[in-house]
Amino acid sequence: MIKIVFYSAMVCLFIISCGTKDTRKADLTIRIDINKKKGPMTPVWAWFGYDEPNYTYMKDGKKLLSEIAELSLVPVYVRVHNLLTTGDGKPALKWGSTNAYTEDAHGKPIYNWTISDSILSTFLKRGMRPMVEIGFMPEALSTKPKPYQHKWKPGAPYEDIYTGWAYPPKDYKKWEELVYQWVTHCVSKYGKGEVEKWYWELWNEPNIGYWQGTIEEYMKLYDYTAHAVKRALPTIRFGGPHTTGPSWDKAEKYLRTVLDHIVSGKNYVTGETGSPIDFIAFHAKGKPTLQGDTIVQMNIGTHLRDISKGFEIVASYPSLKGKPIVIGESDPEGCAACSVSDYPSNAYRNGTLYSSYTAAAFARKYELADHFEINFLGAVTWAFEFEDQPWFNGYRDLATNGVDKPVLNVFRMFGMMAGDRVEVSGDLAYSTMTARDSSIRKKQRDINALAAVDGKKATVMVWNYHDLNIISPAAAVDLIVTGINADKVHIHHYRIDQENSNSFTQWKKMGSPQKVSSEQYAQLEHSGKLKELRMEKEELRMENGELKIRVGMEGQAVSLFVIEWGEN
């Protein structure tokens, strides 16, 4: 007789035998066949990034980095802006600095790696690895250095951030030597074997205001930078160009022009054909709007079209198709530091809409990579934390004042998934291509799943998502898992919804305070962790070799089932 054992908080609660009766009719059936493998469950989600590098070693920054590192079985990669920006190391919104490069009165370079080392070392101490963004332009090298540090605040025009750091170097040789010295220093400090595991790339979104030079000047900068890093460490992994979403015609043209230069253009340094590239990076964003006065409507389709077009472009180059691809920023929209008070459509960020969107979007990223048969390595979630800001201020972050938001728990779920992705089928309203082309806008909700198998463990992530942020009543969903050949299975159920794994709900129940007591802080901190639920025995049964799990999925909820068998 096959037995099902359900665990809650790691304690065995009950055993039920096969054939348990459940006469309720399901609203939806999702089937998972663990014998039909689709491809590796590459940890493409284990990449994060943010604008303000100096938050890295601050109190809440270090706490969040530790939590991100702990949720993953593999090293997490971190990408940050401003690693070469001139300044005193004090953070501000959309700003950071390391003062890595200055010059004396005679124009002689002065290198100072103190702050950049503090940032990189904070990652490495937690088992993380850097995706080192080589930028921005030091003040002493900029062709237009004044003004240099911007004073941008939420609500101000975004273009205000583009100051002296965004300009080309006045001396490309000095720039090359700066990059060479930096890589050489990192090899000396951290070891060749360690630095070989990092990814190095040039600049950020050069096709918009982040680069105030021409495309020819960017390609020249690329060649000098590639030459410098390879001169310092020939086995280094270097790539780019981190352009904005390729579904925009101008961005597609820019990306193709740069890739053409890398493949067959004349190198500005060597005069030879082409330039080194070890991975390719572009960005992808959605576009939420407000329906009426308060209801947020996401646009996952816009996000997926960026990804699809980027994959299609890379696949069109025979010499590049096998290169790893990193979506260098992959988010619901484009400004992490823009608060909900200035941009009401950013209200998705605090609650479960962000978490369900993330689950639904990452599943489709895998499917698009399969479709274009490309080497999908990672997708950077551009969200971190904003030190000492108001509680739940509507920034795109993973935690607020050291308390985890619901979205971070989706990544905790992903951290339990490994092995190979397996086939998911059933009464599904949206295919990946439908979601890409039309977004999730029909009356039907996107109730779907991502599943993987790793030895004698299967993991199934289920979500109930819709672009329109209306918390619908729970749908009764039957998960039917086939292919388990065992006498007994152990099941854990983890959940994100309005009441579980949700610090935002708890904060609102407290009256939305901006000053919290130590007792309230502890409650918020606890409520922000991933919660495991107890299931009733009528929700589980085994029939004809199929494991059936009945679960209620309210709107914007996400569940993860961990199913183990054998000797576990």
Side-chain angles (χ1 to χ4, degrees):
M1 180 179 291
I2 298 174
K3 295 182 179 180
I4 301 173
V5 183
F6 186 81
Y7 281 79
S8 179
M10 303 306 293
V11 177
C12 177
L13 294 179
F14 49 76
I15 300 176
I16 65 173
S17 61
C18 63
T20 302
K21 299 298 182 183
D22 184 352
T23 58
R24 295 175 296 169
K25 178 176 174 57
D27 296 304
L28 182 77
T29 298
I30 299 176
R31 303 184 69 88
I32 295 98
D33 188 339
I34 66 171
N35 290 324
K36 292 184 178 179
K37 298 179 179 179
K38 299 182 64 176
M41 184 73 196
T42 306
V44 297
W45 50 268
W47 300 69
F48 297 87
Y50 44 102
D51 291 73
E52 301 86 0
N54 306 107
Y55 288 155
T56 299
Y57 44 74
M58 299 181 75
K59 64 182 191 309
D60 291 337
K62 290 192 291 186
K63 179 181 180 182
L64 181 55
L65 285 169
S66 295
E67 291 184 327
I68 294 172
E70 289 167 2
L71 65 81
S72 176
L73 296 175
V74 300
V76 171
Y77 283 88
V78 187
R79 176 179 185 250
V80 293
H81 294 338
N82 293 299
L83 287 175
L84 292 178
T85 304
T86 303
D88 58 10
K90 293 180 181 179
L93 295 179
K94 307 277 312 165
W95 176 260
S97 59
T98 66
N99 225 41
Y101 181 93
T102 55
E103 293 181 354
D104 65 16
H106 304 288
K108 182 179 180 181
I110 300 172
Y111 305 109
N112 185 340
W113 313 117
T114 304
I115 297 177
S116 62
D117 282 349
S118 296
I119 295 166
L120 299 179
S121 295
T122 301
F123 301 151
L124 296 171
K125 286 177 182 177
R126 287 158 176 78
M128 302 169 126
R129 290 177 182 148
M131 184 180 198
V132 184
E133 182 185 307
I134 303 173
F136 294 117
M137 193 58 61
E139 187 173 11
L141 281 179
S142 174
T143 53
K144 190 180 178 182
K146 301 295 183 182
Y148 193 75
Q149 182 171 352
H150 63 71
K151 304 297 181 182
W152 183 88
K153 293 182 179 180
Y158 195 86
E159 292 73 19
D160 288 357
I161 71 170
Y162 304 134
T163 51
W165 55 265
Y167 284 82
K170 60 186 180 183
D171 188 324
Y172 282 84
K173 285 290 187 181
K174 281 189 173 182
W175 168 265
E176 179 189 347
E177 188 63 20
L178 163 61
V179 176
Y180 172 81
Q181 291 294 335
W182 190 18
V183 176
T184 300
H185 165 78
C186 288
V187 171
S188 176
K189 182 174 179 63
Y190 302 111
K192 175 176 175 289
E194 175 61 40
V195 176
E196 285 176 329
K197 297 173 184 175
W198 305 356
Y199 290 87
W200 295 71
E201 41 96 358
L202 173 65
W203 222 257
N204 178 69
E205 299 181 342
N207 60 304
I208 60 173
Y210 281 90
W211 178 248
Q212 293 293 308
T214 65
I215 190 171
E216 289 77 15
E217 287 172 319
Y218 173 78
M219 292 186 295
K220 182 176 181 180
L221 192 76
Y222 184 95
D223 289 350
Y224 272 90
T225 306
H227 190 260
V229 298
K230 294 293 184 178
R231 181 162 62 94
L233 181 62
T235 52
I236 205 168
R237 298 191 287 197
F238 177 75
H242 282 280
T243 47
T244 60
S247 61
W248 177 36
D249 290 344
K250 290 183 178 179
E252 176 185 357
K253 182 178 179 180
Y254 200 104
L255 176 57
R256 286 189 181 276
T257 301
V258 173
L259 294 180
D260 287 344
H261 172 76
I262 289 169
V263 169
S264 57
K266 182 179 179 181
N267 191 291
Y268 282 92
V269 180
T270 66
E272 298 175 355
T273 299
S275 195
I277 190 165
D278 300 302
F279 67 93
I280 299 150
F282 59 85
H283 297 176
K285 306 283 184 176
K287 191 176 182 180
T289 55
L290 210 60
Q291 300 298 301
D293 294 331
T294 59
I295 299 177
V296 176
Q297 181 171 270
M298 308 297 280
N299 197 332
I300 200 172
T302 296
H303 190 176
L304 296 176
R305 286 191 291 276
D306 272 348
I307 295 169
S308 181
K309 190 63 178 181
F311 287 169
E312 177 189 338
I313 290 169
V314 176
S316 70
Y317 289 83
S319 63
L320 299 179
K321 185 175 181 179
K323 300 282 186 183
I325 295 175
V326 177
I327 308 171
E329 295 180 21
S330 187
D331 306 291
E333 41 64 48
C335 178
C338 296
S339 67
V340 69
S341 58
D342 294 296
Y343 303 89
S345 60
N346 289 343
Y348 78 88
R349 295 167 166 183
N350 290 327
T352 56
L353 180 54
Y354 192 8
S355 45
S356 61
Y357 179 104
T358 299
F362 267 95
R364 274 48 187 258
K365 295 173 196 180
Y366 284 110
E367 293 278 353
L368 289 170
D370 291 344
H371 176 77
F372 288 103
E373 298 180 326
I374 51 83
N375 182 1
F376 181 27
L377 180 65
V380 178
T381 294
W382 202 258
F384 187 54
E385 64 95 16
F386 292 84
E387 202 84 17
D388 298 323
Q389 295 290 334
W391 284 88
F392 294 99
N393 201 37
Y395 292 126
R396 189 183 342 114
D397 47 15
L398 305 173
T400 176
N401 289 285
V403 170
D404 301 338
K405 288 186 173 183
V407 67
L408 184 59
N409 287 309
V410 174
F411 293 102
R412 289 191 168 105
M413 290 178 172
F414 279 128
M416 298 185 216
M417 303 183 76
D420 293 292
R421 289 176 290 114
V422 297
E423 183 178 277
V424 174
S425 61
D427 309 329
L428 309 177
Y430 299 89
S431 68
T432 291
M433 295 309 178
T434 301
R436 179 195 68 179
D437 297 338
S438 306
S439 204
I440 309 296
R441 297 294 173 86
K442 296 187 294 184
K443 182 179 179 180
Q444 300 97 321
R445 299 185 65 87
D446 180 36
I447 303 175
N448 212 318
L450 174 68
V453 63
D454 186 20
K456 296 181 179 180
K457 180 173 77 172
T459 47
V460 183
M461 181 185 288
V462 188
W463 58 87
N464 181 344
Y465 171 73
H466 199 278
D467 275 352
L468 199 61
N469 192 27
I470 296 176
I471 307 302
S472 62
V477 180
D478 278 347
L479 300 178
I480 299 177
V481 184
T482 62
I484 299 174
N485 184 18
D487 294 330
K488 185 168 61 175
V489 295
H490 307 263
I491 303 176
H492 300 264
H493 178 201
Y494 303 90
R495 180 62 166 251
I496 307 165
D497 58 23
Q498 295 303 295
E499 297 299 326
N500 299 291
S501 313
N502 193 330
S503 60
F504 186 51
T505 294
Q506 182 67 29
W507 181 70
K508 290 190 292 183
K509 287 180 178 179
M510 292 176 177
S512 306
Q514 284 302 325
K515 292 184 178 180
V516 302
S517 66
S518 57
E519 181 180 356
Q520 287 175 316
Y521 188 90
Q523 292 173 352
L524 289 170
E525 194 173 34
H526 176 73
S527 66
K529 303 303 181 185
L530 181 60
K531 186 173 181 179
E532 184 173 356
L533 297 186
R534 171 174 176 162
M535 294 179 67
E536 300 302 324
K537 64 180 182 179
E538 62 266 21
E539 296 176 310
L540 303 165
R541 71 177 183 220
M542 185 75 77
E543 287 183 347
N544 302 320
E546 295 182 335
L547 170 64
K548 179 183 286 186
I549 303 173
R550 169 66 60 84
V551 59
M553 296 294 298
E554 70 178 34
Q556 315 303 15
V558 183
S559 280
L560 178 75
F561 295 91
V562 179
I563 307 162
E564 299 175 287
W565 59 92
E567 300 302 320
N568 296 325

